[in-house]
């Protein structure tokens, strides 16, 4: 059995805690639904255990361990912060981390009813996050590139799931993003993977941001795509007004990236409907709704041909 096939159970989590952090081993342990690269277990009321599962290397967890304690104090929303480290052992030869629990419901299982508040909240969070990163900050090979360098991924999602009646418009959005100027500022801190499963909501608005495994220094457009991927219809313009520092080129790149992310969510939903590994049936409707928001914005865009 490979390490990726090890069944992660509550008993295993408790055994690991007894071995490495015995003072925490008496807390209640409950599995948290979702997660693919890492599996989450609720630990008591205020903590969670993040177990490396399908991720082939510990890089993403080690990145969170290194940088979240630096970023968290200046962010206006709760984010998970590492409090204990679990090291590979004979019992479980991968990394695991005890982190603070971010209360709320993942957006892919919840909804936003206070759109204006959520737009302002997301803009404020990203304004605080998007500051110049230090020279030693991570640079991503999977996220952060200009859209023109992501055409293979876009084409795969496009040909897999785009509705025929929307194909021309979705392609136009992407082509406009590819034609937009590149980011010319210094590398900024970027979450990189803002989608409905990586934010939590409560009382109808955003209440926390999770999963910083994709964190990198680079183009903030990768986060600005969340204006369409996360927020309700009609609130993107308010988001950008509140964020206030995105130029036209950044918005064009962000809109194209939002289209790509929407198609990815739709493909994950399709895979879930087919029962394929890693598929998420509830992501399909979320992706289609996000794509509709992208196109609604595109139809009124001054950059539209």
């Amino acid at each position: 059995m490979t390490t990726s096939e090890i069944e992660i159970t509550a008993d295993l989590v408790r055994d690991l805690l007894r071995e490495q952090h015995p003072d925490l081993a008496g807390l209640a342990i409950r599995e948290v639904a979702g997660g693919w690269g890492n599996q989450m277990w609720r630990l008591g009321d205020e903590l969670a255990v993040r177990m490396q599962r399908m991720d082939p290397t510990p890089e993403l967890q080690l990145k969170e361990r290194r940088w979240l304690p630096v970023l968290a104090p200046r962010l206006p929303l709760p984010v998970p912060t590492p409090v204990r480290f679990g090291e590979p052992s004979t019992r479980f030869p991968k990394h695991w981390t005890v982190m603070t629990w971010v209360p709320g419901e993942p957006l892919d299982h919840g909804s936003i009813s206070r759109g204006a508040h959520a737009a302002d909240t997301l803009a404020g969070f990203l304004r605080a996050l998007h500051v110049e990163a230090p020279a030693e900050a991570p640079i991503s090979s999977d996220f952060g590139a200009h859209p023109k360098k992501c055409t293979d991924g876009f084409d795969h999602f496009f040909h897999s799931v785009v509705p025929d009646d929307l194909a021309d418009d979705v392609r136009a959005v992407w082509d406009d993003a590819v034609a937009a100027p590149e980011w010319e500022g210094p590398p900024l801190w970027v979450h990189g993977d803002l989608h409905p499963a990586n934010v939590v909501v409560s009382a109808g608005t955003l209440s926390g941001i999770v999963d910083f495994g994709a964190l990198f220094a680079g183009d903030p457009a990768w986060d600005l795509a969340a204006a369409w991927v996360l927020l309700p219809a009609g609130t993107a313009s308010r988001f950008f007004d509140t964020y206030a520092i995105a130029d036209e080129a950044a918005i064009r790149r962000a809109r194209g990236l939002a289209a790509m992310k929407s198609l990815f969510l739709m493909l994950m939903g399709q895979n879930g409907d087919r029962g394929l590994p890693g598929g998420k049936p509830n992501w399909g409707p979320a992706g289609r709704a996000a794509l509709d928001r992208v196109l609604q914005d595109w139809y009124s865009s001054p950059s539209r041909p």
Side-chain angles (χ1 to χ4, degrees):
M1 178 181 288
T2 66
T3 55
S4 65
E5 295 171 330
I6 292 176
E7 183 181 6
I8 302 174
T9 65
D11 288 340
L12 173 61
V13 175
R14 194 174 304 283
D15 287 347
L16 294 174
L17 289 168
R18 287 189 181 119
E19 291 175 0
Q20 299 190 33
H21 301 286
D23 59 311
L24 301 180
L27 296 174
I29 299 174
R30 293 158 286 169
E31 185 175 4
V32 178
W36 186 82
N38 294 277
Q39 185 171 351
M40 296 286 290
W41 292 80
R42 187 86 178 268
L43 182 61
D45 293 330
E46 299 181 353
L47 300 174
V49 182
R50 187 166 169 81
M51 307 283 291
Q52 183 189 342
R53 181 166 59 179
M54 299 302 294
D55 283 344
T57 74
E59 176 186 354
L60 304 186
Q61 276 209 35
L62 298 180
K63 186 194 303 186
E64 291 183 323
R65 291 181 183 184
R66 168 67 178 87
W67 293 109
L68 279 173
V70 175
L71 297 173
R74 60 178 176 78
L75 297 176
L77 286 176
V79 301
T81 305
V83 296
R84 302 283 185 91
F85 300 158
E87 302 305 328
S89 64
T90 302
R91 188 79 171 82
F92 184 72
K94 292 192 175 190
H95 286 75
W96 51 281
T97 306
V98 179
M99 314 184 80
T100 56
W101 174 256
V102 178
E105 184 178 27
L107 180 56
D108 62 333
H109 291 280
S111 62
I112 293 174
S113 57
R114 299 163 60 197
H117 188 279
D120 292 345
T121 300
L122 180 62
F125 177 85
L126 293 181
R127 278 290 297 259
L129 176 63
H130 291 168
V131 299
E132 186 172 352
E136 63 271 25
I139 299 174
S140 175
S141 58
D142 298 322
F143 298 86
H146 188 281
K148 66 186 177 184
K149 298 179 181 178
C150 303
T151 53
D152 288 346
F154 173 83
D155 286 343
H156 171 65
F157 302 146
F158 181 88
H159 292 301
S160 298
V161 297
V162 73
D164 290 341
D165 59 327
L166 301 180
D168 289 345
D169 289 336
V170 173
R171 176 64 68 178
V173 170
W174 181 252
D175 289 345
D176 183 60
V178 168
E182 296 195 33
W183 170 251
E184 296 181 348
L188 305 184
W189 278 120
V190 180
H191 179 284
D193 198 21
L194 291 175
H195 62 69
N198 286 344
V199 301
V200 296
V201 296
S202 60
T205 190
L206 291 175
S207 57
I209 308 292
V210 300
D211 197 343
F212 283 73
L215 182 73
F216 67 88
D219 181 1
W222 279 78
D223 283 350
L224 300 179
W228 299 279
V229 176
L230 299 180
L231 297 175
T235 58
S237 59
R238 180 177 180 122
F239 165 84
F240 283 109
D241 287 344
T242 305
Y243 183 78
I245 54 175
D247 60 16
E248 179 187 359
I251 294 174
R252 291 168 63 192
R253 294 193 306 274
R255 186 166 48 227
L257 291 167
M260 182 173 70
K261 289 170 181 273
S262 299
L263 295 175
F264 165 74
L265 292 172
M266 292 168 66
L267 180 58
M268 291 291 285
Q270 183 183 93
N271 289 344
D273 292 339
R274 295 174 176 175
L276 298 177
K280 305 285 186 180
N282 56 321
W283 286 17
R288 176 55 196 267
L291 187 64
D292 288 343
R293 294 191 291 267
V294 169
L295 294 177
Q296 180 183 4
D297 182 79
W298 171 245
Y299 297 145
S300 60
S301 169
S303 62
R304 182 185 178 192

